[in-house]
Amino acid sequence: MGLTVAIGNALAGLKANQGSLEVLSRNISNAGTPGYHKQSLNVIEVGRGDNSYVRVGQVSRAFDQTLQNYYTKQLPDSSYANTRANFLDRLQTYLGKPGTAGSLDTTFGSLQTSLDALATSPDNYAARADVVSKAQDMVSTLNRLTTTIQGLRQEAESKIATSVGELNDQLKALQEVNLGLADYGMDQNTRVSMLDQRDRLVSQIAEKIDVRVDYRDDGTVALSTRSGMSLLDVKRSIFEFEPSGGMDASSTNSGKLTLLTPSGSRVDLVSNNVMQSGSLAALVELRDKTLVDAQRQLDDIAAALAKTFSTVQTPATPVAGGGYEIDLANPTNGVAPLAPSYQNGDDLLVAYRDASGATRNIRVVNSAGTVPPPANYVDANGDDVFYADLTQPSAALSNTLNGMMAAKTPPITGVAFSDNAGKLAVTGSGGVTINSMTARTTATADQDGNLALPLFLDANGNGTPYTGSIDGQGQKTGFAGRIQINAAIVADNTKLVKYDGAAGSGDSARVDYIVNQFKTMKFSSEYRAAPELGNFRLNGTLGDMVTQTVDYQGATISDALSKSDAQGLSLDALTSRMTETYGVDVNEEVARLMELQNAYAANARVVSVVQELLDTLMQSVGR
Amino acid sequence: MLVNKSMFPVQAGYNVISKMNDQLGKLQTQLGTQQKASSLAEMIGGDRANSLSLRARLTKLTAYADNMTTVNMRLNFLDQAFTSLSKIKSEARTAATPGSYGENNLVMVNLQKTSQDRLSLVIDTLNAQYGGRYLMGGNVTDSAPVKSYNVIMNGQGGSAGLQTVVNERKQADLGRSLTLGDLGLPKVDIVSGPVRDGDGKPVTDATGNPVTAQNTVMLKGDGMEQLGYKLNSFTSSTTDVWAVAPDPNGNPTQIGVSFNQFPLSPSPGDTVTLNFTKPDGTDGSITLTATNTAPAGPGQFVYDPFDENVTAQNFQAALQTELSGLEGPQLGRLDVTQAALPATNTTTITQNNTVFGYQLSSVSTDSSKINVAQNAGPPATMDVKFAANPKAGESVSFELKLPDGTTTTMKMTAVLGAPGPGEFQIGADAAETSANFTMGVQATLGDLSKTTLSAASTYQASNDFFSADGHPMRVDTAGPPPVALEDAVALRDGSADTVIWYTGQQSGNARLSATAQIDDTTKVGYGVRANEDGLLQMVRTLASMSIESYPTDDVTSKGRFDAMVERQMSNLSSDTAAMDGSVEGISLELGVVKNSIGNTTERNTAYAYQLETMLTDVENVNMEQTAMELLALKTRLEASYQTTASVAQLSLVNYLR
């Protein structure tokens, strides 16, 4: 009958309203909850003839897969940029703004100034003490920067460890959510909130590692990295991290990050370059590339600093016919002061003008006893660097060098080494003229008559001179953290001036030599920055290198900061889109509430009216 | 549930406001510090590179400016010092000229004292120090380069000073004093002559004829008078012996004692005294006592009461012995002798083969009767042979080289009367003339030794002491075999026992011993060594003048004064300004340095100013612009706040009842 139908409709309507109110109240109460997608109730009209009533359908959740994918793609990128920016921002405060006290370039500048003042007044105790103190400033700046950088690397390591722990927890939770979602028997409301939880977890995972999300029909997801490694597909993969224990400049590869797939195979994430974006990738890159490059640049500066002070240059004697010869075991031919003997890392520099008129250099670095012999290379200035044993007899040495020159592509022609009664001789032919040949060895004594001074020592072995040998990991690695001032010179700062016992107190020869070295001695780093960082190499005089380092690091950091800003902006744009699409608009809900309120009241009124009508009917029929 | 800033629904609107707040903070910081960027990464790439290189350049320029300030102060000081040295040099040069001794010999007497004052002042100036740095020691700047005046003059501890070195050298140069006996003097004869009484009046006999007697011991003054001795008189204690007063017409002087008083004769204890004046002006006397016991001791003569011949002869012998011990001239290490046979009438002068004393240079004569010859030796000799008597006025000239490198000429002129300095008497024949010539040369050399040679010796001793290479030279008496100073043949290195006057940098480019870098490619040298040639010569000259004294009662003072002053004038003359390391030369070089520093300072100041302007452009903000931006931002922020507040109110919830 119509009335029963009406009550039935009204009751259905009431039920539908209640359901809607439930959803609405959920929406309003969760309006500020992060990760909450707007829910709405599907109300279905069920119609059969006159019996068209409403039935509560499914709760639908606002979800745009494209938008979500876009968001999931943006998250790791911005997280990557943020992480880099945070770390590098701290580094820049240690480097200091150019011109401020304590910055690397200011410290270097004041060292130079104090040396200039010392050259004018070598007899003045205050001037000498100033040089020592500025040198100590330089040393402590380098040490401090090394400690900072290594500290940042250590921090990156520990952050990787915690991230890995979190990542594993999140993957586990996601796996459980997946299992729950796969169960069709779950009640709808629970299902919807599980979907929210699923999205939250995916976002959190995406921040750490770049993922590609596969949304299945049943709501479960399969995660894999952008490079194709599966993270979660019903079963999760487990991240494993072995920390290195201690971080110092020499450990360039440390802490293994591996992924244990459900099938049991382990993949090294770092060496296989699995992670392309996300905070984990940022941390690994910082630890292994960016900070290591910064450390290497500091090492180059420290090495150049030590060598500028302590290199004794002994020119070869010219021979008739345009060549030069030198006895490497006795470069000064017995004339005092004797040049120090060759150590690993000392070198022999041959400057020549080739047939086309360009000036080129060949630098032969002593690597006696280094096994395996290091590879020759071409440095940033275009000069050839050969590694050979300079302590061997000159006949064997000249054969080795000639062989090395011929083995290059293209081979070096026109320069020939030979043995001349125990001396190493070099001659040019075919348009090539030899300009000079200089033996460069490292001074080991303070006052043996040589003008060079071993002011900066390597803390290894309790204060050995720095020669730049490449045995083992190379003496240069981490030298910025080990550089220290020669304690003998701190104790007696007249050694800055007196190059032998009899030198006059006002004799500025040693200081003049060092000031000249600052101007003329050129270095070229063999470290090359990573290709993605521009393949940058330091070269030039010590001052040039300091400027280049500060400039380069400043550029890198500034770049990272501005990238982070840019990523933040695009993430902001996405989030505001998502707010529009998924977010709860309280006004809308309240308006809907008003509607529902009215509808509920109307339905209740209908019920009560029908009830009255039925009562009236019953009354009228019942007498 | 994690609250995550990156998850929606963060109100994007609020994000913008917080960004604006950050910007506000940044602008405020910019306004406060006037710097565009407050950290390394905030600097834009181009600015950063520019700022780094500008700062590096400015640091260098500041360092150079500091250097120049320091050097300028030192140069000012040096300027003052050299002005003072220049003044002293010209004062010393004009203080005295040869021949002008001043009123009452004031100039001559005071010369030593004023020279000492000058030397002391010069030494103080050479030890000039500024800020604890000694400026004239080359590159030895922490201790005074020159020893103090007292130490230099008088020595210290076991080290001998200049006074000692000069004394030693003088003795070595002047050589031994000969005695009168070495020269063949005195001439004592027994003659007959007129008998004179105690008052010198001739005794006449009854007829009024002067009585002549034998046995008068006559002492002739030739030779002795040329050496400066003046024979005054004989006196005796008894009238039994008569003194014969000098012949007023005699030239040279002759005085005698007569023993012809038979039967009178001296008694034991009677004395005869010879009174004479020594060359230095003091009086001297020789007393001979008569005795009757043979043999006679020193200062005695044996008389024979019966034979006055014997008495006379004994007295002659005793007188000869006594007189021949008197001091004669110093010949400056030359030997002047009458040549032995077969050469006749020849005077030979032999040079010794050492660095001391005179060296023979050349000899010439304008007389046809005299032959001069020179042999190279060794040893070098000169011969003067008299073929016959020359005419009066003709001369022989010797050129002699002195130890300090100067030369002097000794001219011997023939005269008929009693010879003075530089003269010799023409005798009866060539043999006598030759003997007189020898005597004359010896006397003249003796004079010359006390004046010119002495001056040259002082200068050379001073040169030895103030050596250019830091090794003072002394007269070598150790040998072996050990010799006396007068016989020394060589010099030795006295570094061990002599004061070394200069302990600064010994050699090497003086100007480059103290340098300063005032620009990238400009280095100035302003070092001075106190033993540079010009300064060294000044010190040597003033030191020599400080040692030598000119007492008024010494007859050689005037001659020595002339010789010393002549050398001072030549060593300090204005011609020396052209030599290396002269006071004027050094002043000039330092002036050039000061000039170039001045130019560089100007250049650097202008350049630094430019760089600082550029740096300001690169690093600093325009205050007005920043203030305007701040104001605009503030307005926007206020508007945003207001709007956000109103929008937050606009919720349907507020309007439902």
Side-chain angles (χ1 to χ4, degrees):
Chain A
M1 294 238 276
L3 281 178
T4 328
V5 170
I7 278 193
N9 284 348
L11 285 175
L14 281 175
K15 192 145 174 253
N17 281 342
Q18 277 173 345
S20 290
L21 274 171
E22 201 186 307
V23 170
L24 194 128
S25 67
R26 224 187 358 253
N27 273 350
I28 290 183
S29 77
N30 280 321
T33 309
Y36 180 80
H37 291 221
K38 189 166 59 178
Q39 294 172 3
S40 55
L41 194 58
N42 282 346
V43 172
I44 307 168
E45 179 191 355
V46 175
R48 212 162 345 130
D50 317 328
N51 282 1
S52 169
Y53 63 96
V54 69
R55 197 160 60 90
V56 170
Q58 250 188 345
V59 175
S60 73
R61 174 176 171 266
F63 184 72
D64 182 350
Q65 187 163 327
T66 321
L67 185 60
Q68 194 71 19
N69 272 338
Y70 200 35
Y71 179 68
T72 314
K73 205 154 67 88
Q74 180 61 32
L75 265 180
D77 289 341
S78 76
S79 170
Y80 175 90
N82 262 346
T83 315
R84 265 178 74 80
N86 280 339
F87 269 81
L88 292 177
D89 198 17
R90 278 155 53 197
L91 180 61
Q92 76 153 345
T93 48
Y94 285 103
L95 277 175
K97 178 159 170 273
T100 54
S103 76
L104 188 60
D105 66 305
T106 313
T107 314
F108 176 71
S110 32
L111 176 62
Q112 274 194 308
T113 310
S114 67
L115 275 173
D116 280 333
L118 183 61
T120 314
S121 314
D123 46 76
N124 189 342
Y125 177 81
R128 293 196 299 266
D130 197 31
V131 168
V132 171
S133 122
K134 293 294 184 309
Q136 273 171 328
D137 279 347
M138 192 77 193
V139 160
S140 66
T141 305
L142 286 169
N143 287 346
R144 187 166 41 91
L145 282 170
T146 305
T147 315
T148 309
I149 289 178
Q150 298 308 321
L152 286 174
R153 288 183 73 216
Q154 184 70 45
E155 211 180 300
E157 276 257 307
S158 51
K159 269 215 164 75
I160 294 176
T162 46
S163 293
V164 160
E166 286 173 3
L167 201 52
N168 281 335
D169 286 340
Q170 283 156 2
L171 275 174
K172 186 149 166 243
L174 190 58
Q175 182 180 320
E176 283 169 18
V177 165
N178 262 354
L179 283 174
L181 285 171
D183 180 8
Y184 272 107
M186 187 175 293
D187 129 77
Q188 263 204 61
N189 287 332
T190 320
R191 189 188 176 73
V192 164
S193 60
M194 282 202 105
L195 284 173
D196 278 346
Q197 179 68 345
R198 175 203 73 184
D199 284 337
R200 271 194 209 100
L201 285 169
V202 167
S203 302
Q204 282 172 2
I205 291 171
E207 272 188 2
K208 295 196 173 56
I209 185 169
D210 53 308
V211 288
R212 210 175 48 224
V213 187
D214 214 359
Y215 292 96
R216 304 251 166 80
D217 295 331
D218 55 3
T220 56
V221 285
L223 288 181
S224 59
T225 66
R226 256 187 241 162
S227 54
M229 184 90 4
S230 160
L231 291 178
L232 176 69
D233 192 353
V234 182
K235 284 224 171 100
R236 66 186 170 108
S237 307
I238 301 181
F239 283 87
E240 290 172 337
F241 181 63
E242 271 172 47
S244 64
M247 192 72 69
D248 66 30
S250 58
S251 50
T252 49
N253 262 337
S254 44
K256 271 179 46 161
L257 187 60
T258 52
L259 187 66
L260 176 66
T261 60
S263 57
S265 61
R266 267 202 177 76
V267 178
D268 185 333
L269 292 173
V270 175
S271 54
N272 291 331
N273 224 357
V274 171
M275 302 182 290
Q276 290 173 356
S277 191
S279 63
L280 259 186
L283 288 169
V284 166
E285 193 199 348
L286 278 170
R287 184 198 69 182
D288 289 342
K289 290 215 185 83
T290 316
L291 292 174
V292 166
D293 273 338
Q295 178 63 42
R296 280 192 184 139
Q297 287 180 343
L298 287 178
D299 288 338
D300 277 330
I301 292 177
L305 183 65
K307 280 219 156 183
T308 302
F309 274 81
S310 69
T311 301
V312 177
Q313 310 207 25
T314 317
T317 40
V319 286
Y324 285 86
E325 66 176 20
I326 192 169
D327 181 0
L328 287 174
N330 184 5
T332 56
N333 289 331
V335 174
L338 296 178
S341 49
Y342 263 93
Q343 297 177 300
N344 275 1
D346 293 335
D347 58 21
L348 175 72
L349 191 65
V350 178
Y352 65 97
R353 199 162 55 88
D354 68 13
S356 63
T359 314
R360 317 198 39 181
N361 291 321
I362 294 178
R363 197 156 70 90
V364 185
V365 180
N366 187 20
S367 61
T370 306
V371 172
N376 300 338
Y377 66 97
V378 177
D379 73 10
N381 291 329
D383 299 332
D384 295 294
V385 180
F386 294 145
Y387 288 97
D389 179 0
L390 289 176
T391 55
Q392 64 184 315
S394 44
L397 177 61
S398 55
N399 283 340
T400 314
L401 291 173
N402 286 335
M404 283 180 178
M405 287 198 293
K408 270 182 53 88
T409 44
I412 301 177
T413 52
V415 179
F417 288 92
S418 55
D419 170 46
N420 180 7
K423 296 192 182 168
L424 181 71
V426 63
T427 45
S429 59
V432 172
T433 44
I434 311 285
N435 287 342
S436 68
M437 181 158 78
T438 316
R440 306 201 298 193
T441 49
T442 306
T444 47
D446 312 329
Q447 291 188 312
D448 61 353
N450 279 316
L451 292 179
L453 173 69
L455 181 61
F456 296 101
L457 298 178
D458 192 340
N460 270 350
N462 211 8
T464 52
Y466 174 79
T467 57
S469 82
I470 40 170
D471 299 332
Q473 286 213 339
Q475 196 179 13
K476 200 191 270 198
T477 313
F479 182 52
R482 301 195 310 268
I483 187 170
Q484 68 179 32
I485 283 217
N486 190 341
I489 296 178
V490 176
D492 175 15
N493 62 18
T494 58
K495 290 189 184 175
L496 282 173
V497 170
K498 291 199 192 229
Y499 49 91
D500 64 24
S505 56
D507 191 350
S508 61
R510 174 169 258 183
V511 189
D512 286 338
Y513 176 71
I514 292 175
V515 169
N516 199 34
Q517 289 276 80
F518 268 84
K519 275 202 283 234
T520 57
M521 187 155 180
K522 285 193 164 26
F523 302 90
S524 187
S525 168
E526 60 265 22
Y527 294 136
R528 208 193 284 259
E532 53 262 28
L533 298 176
N535 257 341
F536 179 76
R537 281 204 281 198
L538 295 178
N539 77 323
T541 64
L542 178 56
D544 292 340
M545 286 168 91
V546 170
T547 309
Q548 286 168 3
T549 301
V550 176
D551 195 16
Y552 177 74
Q553 292 300 328
T556 311
I557 296 170
S558 158
D559 193 44
L561 287 176
S562 61
K563 264 213 188 85
S564 151
D565 279 345
Q567 296 288 3
L569 277 176
S570 44
L571 192 65
D572 278 348
L574 267 178
T575 357
S576 57
R577 262 311 294 284
M578 286 169 82
T579 312
E580 276 175 35
T581 320
Y582 303 152
V584 173
D585 183 0
V586 175
N587 287 339
E588 196 187 311
E589 301 297 315
V590 170
R592 184 115 178 81
L593 182 66
M594 265 171 41
E595 275 178 32
L596 285 172
Q597 189 180 12
N598 285 338
Y600 193 86
N603 274 328
R605 187 87 185 106
V606 164
V607 168
S608 90
V609 162
V610 169
Q611 177 71 38
E612 268 181 39
L613 286 177
L614 278 175
D615 276 346
T616 311
L617 187 60
M618 288 299 145
Q619 253 184 3
S620 52
V621 170
R623 195 94 59 93
Chain B
M1 308 282 184
L2 294 168
V3 178
N4 195 317
K5 274 210 304 208
S6 63
M7 281 195 196
F8 77 99
V10 174
Q11 293 290 3
Y14 292 140
N15 222 356
V16 172
I17 287 187
S18 70
K19 277 208 169 61
M20 279 203 285
N21 257 329
D22 286 342
Q23 177 77 349
L24 192 71
K26 234 181 239 172
L27 281 174
Q28 278 180 328
T29 315
Q30 276 188 353
L31 207 60
T33 61
Q34 238 188 330
Q35 306 256 332
K36 271 188 209 162
S38 57
S39 67
L40 175 62
E42 274 181 35
M43 300 175 89
I44 309 169
D47 284 354
R48 187 171 41 241
N50 274 342
S51 165
L52 281 168
S53 54
L54 282 173
R55 282 188 182 278
R57 196 88 203 98
L58 270 175
T59 311
K60 266 272 158 214
L61 285 179
T62 316
Y64 291 142
D66 286 342
N67 280 356
M68 287 195 272
T69 312
T70 312
V71 173
N72 257 338
M73 294 199 283
R74 291 182 191 157
L75 278 179
N76 281 342
F77 217 69
L78 278 174
D79 196 27
Q80 280 177 358
F82 273 90
T83 312
S84 153
L85 284 177
S86 202
K87 213 157 72 116
I88 295 177
K89 184 172 171 183
S90 60
E91 255 181 37
R93 178 169 68 231
T94 53
T97 42
S100 59
Y101 309 106
E103 203 167 307
N104 281 341
N105 296 333
L106 189 67
V107 171
M108 184 174 83
V109 164
N110 278 336
L111 184 59
Q112 188 189 18
K113 184 77 182 57
T114 50
S115 298
Q116 284 171 342
D117 287 341
R118 281 191 204 113
L119 180 64
S120 186
L121 196 56
V122 164
I123 288 178
D124 279 342
T125 310
L126 289 177
N127 277 338
Q129 54 131 328
Y130 180 76
R133 181 193 166 103
Y134 289 93
L135 299 168
M136 304 226 216
N139 64 12
V140 176
T141 53
D142 57 352
S143 58
V146 176
K147 295 263 180 347
S148 74
Y149 172 79
N150 250 337
V151 169
I152 285 182
M153 283 309 196
N154 306 320
Q156 183 185 51
S159 304
L162 181 63
Q163 188 75 60
T164 314
V165 172
V166 166
N167 288 347
E168 287 179 3
R169 174 106 201 192
K170 225 182 254 208
Q171 284 185 284
D173 275 328
L174 262 52
R176 286 189 185 288
S177 284
L178 298 176
T179 57
L180 289 187
D182 293 329
L183 302 173
L185 292 178
K187 296 207 171 72
V188 186
D189 296 327
I190 301 184
V191 299
S192 302
V195 178
R196 294 176 191 258
D197 63 10
D199 296 326
K201 286 213 297 284
V203 173
T204 49
D205 61 6
T207 60
N209 296 331
V211 177
T212 55
Q214 290 113 338
N215 303 325
T216 304
V217 176
M218 193 66 77
L219 171 61
K220 296 208 182 128
D222 33 356
M224 280 183 73
E225 292 205 320
Q226 202 166 21
L227 290 174
Y229 284 98
K230 266 219 252 305
L231 302 174
N232 293 335
S233 62
F234 274 108
T235 50
S236 85
S237 60
T238 165
T239 49
D240 297 338
V241 174
W242 291 358
V244 176
D247 178 358
N249 300 325
N251 194 8
T253 315
Q254 297 185 3
I255 50 171
V257 175
S258 175
F259 291 97
N260 205 39
Q261 271 63 255
F262 186 76
L264 298 174
S265 85
S267 328
D270 285 343
T271 59
V272 181
T273 308
L274 168 64
N275 299 309
F276 59 93
T277 314
K278 291 202 268 211
D280 61 6
T282 54
D283 286 331
S285 64
I286 293 185
T287 306
L288 292 168
T289 316
T291 173
N292 53 4
T293 48
Q300 293 176 329
F301 68 97
V302 178
Y303 74 89
D304 187 335
F306 301 109
D307 191 354
E308 53 267 29
N309 279 335
V310 172
T311 313
Q313 281 164 3
N314 287 345
F315 184 75
Q316 179 202 36
L319 187 61
Q320 193 112 28
T321 313
E322 286 294 316
L323 282 179
S324 57
L326 286 181
E327 193 181 298
Q330 290 169 298
L331 295 186
R333 310 294 289 271
L334 290 176
D335 276 328
V336 181
T337 47
Q338 204 66 21
L341 293 172
T344 53
N345 306 338
T346 309
T347 309
T348 308
I349 308 185
T350 316
Q351 172 188 311
N352 74 91
N353 242 2
T354 70
V355 296
F356 301 111
Y358 296 106
Q359 309 288 312
L360 299 173
S361 182
S362 70
V363 61
S364 64
T365 179
D366 58 1
S367 167
S368 51
K369 306 291 195 312
I370 309 179
N371 300 330
V372 295
Q374 197 173 0
N375 309 320
T381 57
M382 284 181 181
D383 293 323
V384 179
K385 181 177 166 74
F386 284 86
N389 271 353
K391 289 206 277 285
E394 290 181 340
S395 60
V396 181
S397 285
F398 294 94
E399 193 151 302
L400 302 168
K401 215 150 52 151
L402 298 167
D404 69 344
T406 53
T407 54
T408 184
T409 311
M410 182 171 74
K411 194 163 164 191
M412 300 300 300
T413 317
V415 292
L416 289 168
E423 295 171 348
F424 66 97
Q425 193 169 27
I426 303 177
D429 59 2
E432 200 181 316
T433 312
S434 179
N436 287 345
F437 183 75
T438 308
M439 169 77 14
V441 166
Q442 285 164 337
T444 311
L445 271 180
D447 272 343
L448 213 56
S449 298
K450 286 234 162 38
T451 56
T452 315
L453 181 61
S454 178
S457 173
T458 305
Y459 268 90
Q460 186 55 23
S462 177
N463 288 353
D464 288 341
F465 180 83
F466 295 100
S467 65
D469 62 357
H471 296 287
M473 302 302 278
R474 299 268 297 270
V475 177
D476 186 3
T477 52
V483 290
L485 282 167
E486 292 87 348
D487 304 320
V489 297
L491 295 168
R492 69 173 167 88
D493 186 338
S495 307
D497 59 353
T498 320
V499 168
I500 300 186
W501 78 286
Y502 172 71
T503 48
Q505 184 188 13
Q506 284 298 334
S507 58
N509 190 326
R511 230 52 68 222
L512 292 181
S513 62
T515 56
Q517 190 87 23
I518 58 171
D519 202 355
D520 283 334
T521 48
T522 316
K523 203 175 205 185
V524 290
Y526 58 98
V528 177
R529 275 191 286 116
N531 68 349
E532 287 188 58
D533 290 343
L535 295 173
L536 183 62
Q537 196 173 51
M538 207 164 115
V539 169
R540 283 173 172 171
T541 311
L542 286 177
S544 311
M545 302 304 291
S546 307
I547 289 282
E548 202 66 51
S549 64
Y550 316 96
T552 37
D553 51 1
D554 187 351
V555 301
T556 55
S557 285
K558 285 206 173 137
R560 213 166 44 252
F561 174 87
D562 287 343
M564 294 287 290
V565 168
E566 191 183 315
R567 281 167 178 74
Q568 178 181 258
M569 281 175 67
S570 126
N571 284 349
L572 298 180
S573 80
S574 38
D575 294 342
T576 58
M579 73 191 273
D580 261 345
S582 66
V583 173
E584 297 83 351
I586 299 178
S587 290
L588 190 65
E589 288 175 22
L590 292 178
V592 168
V593 168
K594 196 144 182 234
N595 208 20
S596 91
I597 288 184
N599 288 343
T600 311
T601 307
E602 275 176 31
R603 202 171 59 229
N604 276 6
T605 312
Y607 189 31
Y609 180 66
Q610 268 185 329
L611 289 180
E612 277 178 16
T613 311
M614 280 170 68
L615 193 62
T616 313
D617 282 342
V618 165
E619 284 193 349
N620 286 7
V621 285
N622 188 345
M623 296 289 274
E624 291 80 18
Q625 190 176 344
T626 312
M628 288 307 296
E629 283 180 17
L630 199 60
L631 217 53
L633 185 63
K634 179 162 165 278
T635 314
R636 278 203 340 266
L637 200 55
E638 280 176 1
S640 295
Y641 281 147
Q642 198 129 27
T643 324
T644 312
S646 336
V647 163
Q649 295 283 351
L650 276 174
S651 178
L652 194 51
V653 180
N654 292 342
Y655 291 102
L656 286 177
R657 247 167 290 276

